[in-house]
Amino acid sequence: MQANDVRVLKSAAIPTLAVGVVAVVVAQLTVGGAGALGAVIGTLLVAVFFSISVVAVSYAARVSPQMMAIAAMVSYLVKVIVIMAMLVTFGDTTLWNPQVFAWSVVVCTIVWTAFEVRAFIKTKMLYVDPEATVPGQGDR
């Protein structure tokens, strides 16, 4: 991974985990242990899924822009499928509070996305190759 990617990952993961801790505490105080477990699982799900996406896209970017786009789309598709499978499988569970789980996923996803966007905006990356030559212009 490039240094910029690590910075983006940390910039998004730290606030998301902080919000997750707050969600766990609030759930524990309002709903009890089942709520806290739902918040923990929701927070970890978001953190793991989004971290895997950042790593996959980062490594694919080394290969080519096309591979980067494919990695982003495939990781998104996998996330949607796994979250849907979890919701269907554990929709009626009594191990944790499904509402707290769902709200934790939604809030942590919003926080992760917002801080990831913020990190990309603050990252100083060239989008034009300054060393590139224009065909037909010759050496000047």
Side-chain angles (χ1 to χ4, degrees), residues 1 5 8-10 12-14 16-17 43-59 75 79 112 116:
M1 284 181 66
D5 298 326
V8 167
L9 185 62
K10 286 184 351 185
I14 292 170
T16 301
L17 293 175
T43 301
L44 290 177
L45 183 75
V46 170
V48 168
F49 277 16
F50 279 88
S51 296
I52 289 171
S53 292
V54 170
V55 171
V57 171
S58 171
Y59 282 115
S75 69
K79 281 189 279 193
W112 184 287
E116 190 174 41

Side-chain angles (χ1 to χ4, degrees), residues 64-126:
S64 72
Q66 293 84 5
M67 286 302 292
M68 183 176 78
I70 291 169
M73 288 185 282
V74 168
S75 69
Y76 177 77
L77 181 64
V78 168
K79 281 189 279 193
V80 169
I81 290 171
V82 171
I83 287 176
M84 287 184 72
M86 281 194 69
L87 291 175
V88 168
T89 304
F90 297 109
D92 297 327
T93 188
T94 56
L95 293 174
W96 64 77
N97 187 310
Q99 286 181 316
V100 174
F101 167 77
W103 279 109
S104 298
V105 168
V106 168
V107 171
C108 287
T109 298
I110 291 169
V111 169
W112 184 287
T113 304
F115 278 91
E116 190 174 41
V117 168
R118 179 180 179 271
F120 276 119
I121 289 171
K122 291 180 72 173
T123 301
K124 293 173 178 39
M125 291 179 15
L126 294 175

